[in-house]
Amino acid sequence: KVANVVLEIKADFPYPQALASTLFEMSNNHIYFAQHLPRLTDVHVKNGEFKEVEEMLRYFAFSLLE
């Protein structure tokens, strides 16, 4: 479903499934890093709020899809 959204945004994007899976993996990894290994990420997770993770994912995704 996420890959389909990628294609709706940019129909000629060559790797929609790879981008979708990468975004999911990045979100999980960086939440874990922020909580347990903060030197491995630039984002912070406080009080269960993932705003910085969401902003990072948007940045990466839309930078590729412009």
Side-chain angles (χ1 to χ4, degrees):
K1 291 183 181 185
V2 175
N4 288 335
V5 172
V6 168
L7 291 174
E8 286 178 21
I9 295 169
K10 187 171 183 178
D12 63 341
F13 189 75
Y15 309 108
Q17 292 176 340
L19 177 57
S21 66
T22 298
L23 293 173
F24 284 117
E25 192 170 339
M26 281 178 65
S27 66
N28 288 325
N29 286 344
H30 286 274
I31 290 168
Y32 180 84
F33 295 158
Q35 294 172 334
H36 303 286
L37 302 164
R39 290 185 180 185
L40 296 181
T41 188
D42 297 305
V43 299
H44 300 90
V45 173
K46 295 179 182 174
N47 302 322
E49 292 192 25
F50 307 107
K51 184 178 180 178
E52 287 187 43
V53 176
E54 292 174 23
E55 290 172 1
M56 178 188 66
L57 295 172
R58 280 191 191 99
Y59 176 82
F60 281 105
F62 289 106
S63 293
L64 287 169
L65 296 174
E66 288 183 334

